[in-house]
Amino acid sequence: MVQAINNALDIKLSEDKNIVVYGEDVGVAGGVFRVTEGLQKKYGAERVFDSPLAESAIVGTGLGMALAGLRPVVEMQFDGFSYPAFNQIISNVSRMHNRSRGKFNVPMVIRFPYGGGINAIEHHSESPEALYAHIPGLKVVVPSTPHDAKGLLISAIESDDPVIFMEPKRIYRAIKQEVNDEKFTIPIGKAKILTEGTDVTVVAFGAMIRECQRAMAMAEEAGISVELIDLRTIYPIDKETIKNSIQKTGRMVVVAEANQSFSVGSELIAIANEEAFLYLEAPPKRVMGFDTIVPLAQGEKYYMITPERIFYEIEKTINY
Amino acid sequence: MIFDEFNPSEDKILRVIDNDGEVIRPDLIPDLTDETVVKAYKTMLFERVADEMAISYQRQGRMFTYPSNKGHEAIHAAAGMIIGPDDWLVPAFREIGVMLAKGVTMKEIFLYYNGNEHGSNFKNAPRVLPVNVPIGTQLSHAVGIGYSIKYRKKNDIVFTFIGDGGTSEGDFSESLNFAGVWQVPVIFTIQNNQYAISVPVSTQTKSVNLAVKSIAFGIPGIKVDGNDFFAMYLAYREASEHARTGKGAVLIEALTYRSGAHTTSDDPSRYRTKEEEERWGLSDPMPRLKKFMERKGIWKEDEDSLRDQYKNEIDNQFLEAENFAPYSLDDVFGYMYTEMPEDLKKQKEEYEQFLTWKGSRR
Ligand SMILES: Cc1ncc(C[n+]2csc(CCOP(=O)(O)OP(=O)(O)O)c2C)c(N)n1
Ligand SMILES: [Mg+2]
């Protein structure tokens, strides 16, 4: 996935002179995960560069650039370090288009690696998609495969609205997939049905897709037919696809690693109730992180969602 | 005050001995007993050995990511000698030597980098905060503690640390500003080790140095050779006198070099040269102090056997960390609130039901 993201940046940088890429360690070193490796060499330090260590100013300057003709793609080094920029994001980035009555667009992407399962120290394992999806004016995108990462990132860079692009760091290098070298896009705002099924709808995104696929194999053995949906975009959320699926299966399990309360899972359950209430045969269920801080490495075995736990909840939902 | 002589706006640097351990400012050499100097060196040696061991445990797969402290020992030893039992330490994450001086144990440090939050509950160091990972956010905590000390009319002071990269965060400026306005007893140390991961200081600031930033906030500041134990000691002694006598905060820029990688996950060859590393290696604080002692004829110990003794001690601490009580579900839930909300209790119960189910399947 690291390569696919690098490739998406490469394609856009070569195609559009107004794109700049910056953040902490993204230039000379090519990023702590090497996502931007080689790009400074290829496009020069005026377009791909290291900034001082200050997330709020990285995002704030990005907004300024976006207002004045550039299309910045900025990096927050980790999920937990996007918060110093929260004020800029919630107070300015997300509002400028509305405040200026459409005079200003904010064609800006804020990328960062997110999620747990990598034995990291504090603040390196978080899933803040709900925090950002809650902010009106932002789009929030989370790819689950190298292919999707490339197509979605290109769409994000081409979007005239600000996009939060969350990269599942746990599978940065875990999933091998041949990705077409050519330019292609994947639409923002559309979920994808990965596997069709009839008994239960499982909705997930990012690093949890792989865990769901493993759980699905267990469910299959138990004779349960799962319809797996990759949300791909958190906001604008694809109600249509979710609604249709629940109307078909009558059941929904949401899988995500973020804290469960006030989350994307909560939102999906609201959608299930609002759009498919009369079709439900069991209460929609969240299989999500506890409402705790993501534990340090030794405790992650409890916190991180496993295929077994997903299967357990699928089975309970089926047997409800 | 030494701070007056070494005006940061003229980019002066406080240095007492040179790289060969020769005294270049005899008038400034602190009047420490020979034993004290030897002890300081041993403290530094302990920290260095602990650091080497930590990296080797990580390489053996017995510990997770760890940030090396190598090269910063003189700063830590000097601060450790000045910080009092009732003083507070508000660290960033590269100050192991100061933490040890305050009573934190290597066992706790290992436990933390082994992925267990109990390693942040320093049992014998009540006035030490856990390491602070979100860069820069610790400084305002130090200022708040300083306010509380002042409010309660105590004589304690606060030591807080940040890196060169951290000075770019808004929190740095905001905290120094508060400290100036409130005139609180806080000693800010910038460990300027030349890098923020791969990014050199020259990318962080156009200022002539980092100490000069103190001027804007109306507090004394000084740039010190952070690899010179005596210079650091002198700076801390004067800074603590200043802070302890109600004169307010102080900013110290300790010029040093991050001799190791940023963390065990980092590869410095991607962004800096061997030549540069070698050049900085010449001012390494340990051989420098050792040469001073040898010149004076006060170093009579056998370093190898000292190393062996420390290795033993550190290994025992590591084993204690390794054999710490297994991480339990209570460790995940039990410390979120002073009293666990009903909803969390329920989440925990549900998870326990899952574990029972899982157990029954095996
Ligand atoms: C707010 C925030 N942003 C980014 C990071 C990731 N990060 C960890 S250490 C580091 C560099 C810190 O450099 P410096 O302040 O010079 O301290 P040093 O590591 O050299 O001790 C970065 C960018 C972080 N921990 N917190
Ligand atoms: Mg540094």
Side-chain angles (χ1 to χ4, degrees):
Chain A
M1 181 177 294
V2 165
Q3 268 170 15
I5 297 168
N6 183 282
N7 184 228
L9 292 168
D10 194 351
I11 288 172
K12 285 310 296 176
L13 278 160
S14 74
E15 185 181 278
D16 183 349
K17 285 266 172 306
N18 291 323
I19 290 170
V20 292
V21 172
Y22 66 102
E24 295 154 14
D25 303 285
V26 307
V28 175
V32 291
F33 289 102
R34 307 198 175 192
V35 169
T36 50
E37 190 151 51
L39 296 178
Q40 184 175 73
K41 258 217 176 92
K42 194 159 171 191
Y43 297 100
E46 216 177 354
R47 297 190 64 198
V48 180
F49 54 93
D50 295 320
S51 72
L53 204 179
E55 293 76 8
S56 179
I58 291 171
V59 170
T61 52
L63 173 57
M65 291 180 196
L67 300 178
L70 301 185
R71 302 184 81 89
V73 181
V74 300
E75 176 178 300
M76 306 279 97
Q77 198 161 80
F78 279 91
D79 34 56
F81 308 136
S82 63
Y83 309 137
F86 201 77
N87 186 26
Q88 286 290 353
I89 296 171
I90 191 169
S91 303
N92 297 321
V93 171
S94 62
R95 293 178 194 227
M96 193 53 89
H97 188 264
N98 179 63
R99 284 179 60 218
S100 68
R101 303 284 88 176
K103 178 181 169 194
F104 289 117
N105 288 345
V106 185
M108 171 181 188
V109 178
I110 302 171
R111 324 171 12 250
F112 57 82
Y114 87 93
I118 62 157
N119 298 322
I121 56 165
E122 294 171 278
H123 312 283
H124 290 69
S125 303
E126 313 194 356
S127 271
E129 68 275 358
L131 293 179
Y132 293 111
H134 192 71
I135 300 175
L138 300 178
K139 295 177 180 174
V140 181
V141 175
V142 190
S144 68
T145 65
H147 171 87
D148 284 14
K150 177 172 172 179
L152 285 165
L153 182 55
I154 292 177
S155 296
I157 297 172
E158 291 179 353
S159 162
D160 285 332
D161 294 312
V163 179
I164 306 286
F165 194 84
M166 294 175 44
E167 300 164 7
K169 67 172 93 82
R170 186 187 184 184
I171 54 169
Y172 255 158
R173 292 174 188 282
I175 295 178
K176 295 263 175 289
Q177 185 186 40
E178 282 302 320
V179 181
N180 188 346
D181 271 343
E182 307 289 295
K183 177 179 170 179
F184 62 89
T185 58
I186 295 174
I188 291 174
K190 290 298 297 171
K192 185 183 185 197
I193 300 172
L194 293 181
T195 319
E196 300 210 10
T198 50
D199 297 335
V200 55
T201 298
V202 173
V203 187
F205 54 89
M208 286 298 111
I209 291 293
R210 190 179 61 157
E211 309 307 296
C212 288
Q213 283 164 334
R214 289 171 178 162
M216 240 172 72
M218 299 164 82
E220 225 162 84
E221 256 175 59
I224 301 166
S225 162
V226 173
E227 176 141 307
L228 179 61
I229 298 179
D230 182 351
L231 217 43
R232 280 181 165 176
T233 298
I234 307 298
Y235 194 86
I237 197 158
D238 182 359
K239 286 190 185 174
E240 197 59 23
T241 301
I242 295 155
K243 176 184 89 178
N244 290 341
S245 180
I246 301 173
Q247 289 189 353
K248 180 169 76 173
T249 64
R251 297 179 181 86
M252 179 179 71
V253 171
V254 186
V255 182
E257 52 182 293
N259 311 119
Q260 70 174 45
S261 296
F262 310 95
S263 65
V264 172
S266 310
E267 186 61 31
L268 284 162
I269 291 177
I271 292 171
N273 281 325
E274 288 168 3
E275 308 282 336
F277 185 71
L278 293 177
Y279 298 82
L280 289 173
E281 290 169 42
K285 177 73 188 170
R286 287 169 300 187
V287 187
M288 292 190 56
F290 312 129
D291 290 331
T292 67
I293 308 295
V294 184
L296 288 182
Q298 289 187 24
E300 274 196 307
K301 60 173 182 265
Y302 301 112
Y303 186 94
M304 291 307 292
I305 314 285
T306 58
E308 218 171 8
R309 184 150 156 237
I310 300 167
F311 170 65
Y312 165 78
E313 296 292 355
I314 288 176
E315 207 180 41
K316 275 192 8 187
T317 301
I318 294 290
N319 297 333
Y320 178 78
Chain B
M1 196 189 189
I2 194 79
F3 285 62
D4 297 329
E5 183 184 339
F6 293 89
N7 184 342
S9 62
E10 293 160 21
D11 201 26
K12 289 190 177 157
I13 182 164
L14 170 59
R15 179 175 289 136
V16 179
I17 59 172
D18 68 12
N19 287 351
D20 296 321
E22 190 151 4
V23 180
I24 50 173
R25 284 293 301 262
D27 56 322
L28 292 182
I29 192 105
D31 54 346
L32 295 167
T33 65
D34 295 347
E35 293 91 80
T36 310
V37 176
V38 170
K39 192 164 155 239
Y41 182 80
K42 287 186 178 174
T43 318
M44 289 162 67
L45 183 63
F46 185 90
E47 181 176 8
R48 176 134 329 167
V49 175
D51 195 70
E52 289 165 5
M53 304 269 292
I55 291 167
S56 107
Y57 295 130
Q58 193 279 337
R59 293 224 171 101
Q60 293 165 36
R62 295 163 77 189
M63 207 171 82
F64 297 111
T65 306
Y66 165 81
S68 170
N69 283 236
K70 187 176 176 192
H72 303 57
E73 295 90 349
I75 305 165
H76 301 170
M81 285 168 74
I82 301 288
I83 196 168
D86 290 332
D87 293 341
W88 285 79
L89 172 59
V90 182
F93 51 82
R94 217 184 285 283
E95 297 85 27
I96 283 180
V98 197
M99 293 170 80
L100 293 174
K102 280 292 286 175
V104 175
T105 62
M106 279 313 298
K107 171 190 159 182
E108 288 162 336
I109 289 162
F110 287 140
L111 196 55
Y112 179 73
Y113 290 112
N114 239 332
N116 190 320
E117 289 85 349
H118 286 289
S120 286
N121 179 3
F122 312 130
K123 295 287 187 201
N124 304 317
R127 292 190 169 183
V128 179
L129 265 52
V131 300
N132 189 83
V133 177
I135 305 282
T137 53
Q138 71 277 18
L139 297 189
S140 52
H141 312 158
V143 174
I145 293 170
Y147 188 91
S148 170
I149 290 170
K150 192 174 168 183
Y151 174 82
R152 292 180 295 111
K153 300 198 176 1
K154 302 286 184 195
N155 278 325
D156 315 326
I157 60 175
V158 190
F159 284 70
T160 190
F161 290 81
I162 190 165
D164 44 297
T167 63
S168 297
E169 289 281 7
D171 285 286
F172 172 81
S173 298
E174 293 174 20
S175 303
L176 261 70
N177 186 46
F178 271 55
V181 172
W182 289 354
Q183 203 171 324
V184 288
V186 178
I187 299 177
F188 297 91
T189 304
I190 303 166
Q191 297 198 94
N192 178 358
N193 60 10
Q194 313 305 318
Y195 284 95
I197 311 186
S198 71
V199 181
V201 204
S202 55
T203 301
Q204 300 292 348
T205 186
K206 270 279 188 187
S207 296
V208 46
N209 55 51
L210 297 170
V212 76
K213 296 186 183 232
S214 61
I215 294 171
F217 301 108
I219 65 174
I222 190 169
K223 177 166 139 181
V224 186
D225 185 335
N227 289 352
D228 176 351
F229 165 74
F230 293 112
M232 283 311 302
Y233 181 86
L234 183 63
Y236 276 128
R237 202 181 59 193
E238 295 227 358
S240 87
E241 223 168 82
H242 181 90
R244 228 181 273 283
T245 51
K247 297 197 186 86
V250 168
L251 176 66
I252 294 175
E253 173 185 1
L255 203 72
T256 182
Y257 191 69
R258 199 198 67 214
S259 310
H262 171 67
T263 66
T264 45
S265 316
D266 173 46
D267 171 13
S269 72
R270 287 164 72 201
Y271 52 81
R272 68 187 194 190
T273 62
K274 272 265 159 313
E275 295 76 66
E276 181 192 294
E277 290 177 359
E278 278 161 19
R279 194 154 29 80
W280 274 97
L282 300 177
S283 73
D284 185 307
M286 304 213 28
R288 195 161 163 184
L289 184 57
K290 179 107 161 272
K291 283 179 201 156
F292 169 88
M293 293 188 301
E294 283 165 352
R295 274 170 196 281
K296 250 190 125 189
I298 61 174
W299 178 251
K300 303 194 174 73
E301 310 261 354
D302 172 12
E303 183 151 333
D304 286 339
S305 66
L306 268 179
R307 273 183 164 269
D308 287 343
Q309 180 197 325
Y310 294 161
K311 270 189 188 165
N312 238 322
E313 248 176 78
I314 293 158
D315 203 46
N316 285 334
Q317 295 270 310
F318 186 78
L319 289 176
E320 276 189 47
E322 227 174 20
N323 295 320
F324 193 81
Y327 204 105
S328 72
L329 195 55
D330 279 330
D331 284 327
V332 179
F333 284 94
Y335 302 92
M336 286 306 302
Y337 296 89
T338 46
E339 232 175 287
M340 203 190 296
E342 287 307 313
D343 184 47
L344 266 192
K345 284 186 195 159
K346 188 152 173 268
Q347 290 181 27
K348 181 164 173 260
E349 276 164 28
E350 278 183 11
Y351 190 76
E352 280 162 343
Q353 283 161 16
F354 160 68
L355 288 178
T356 311
W357 170 86
K358 188 175 154 185
S360 70
R361 269 164 52 94
R362 293 271 152 80

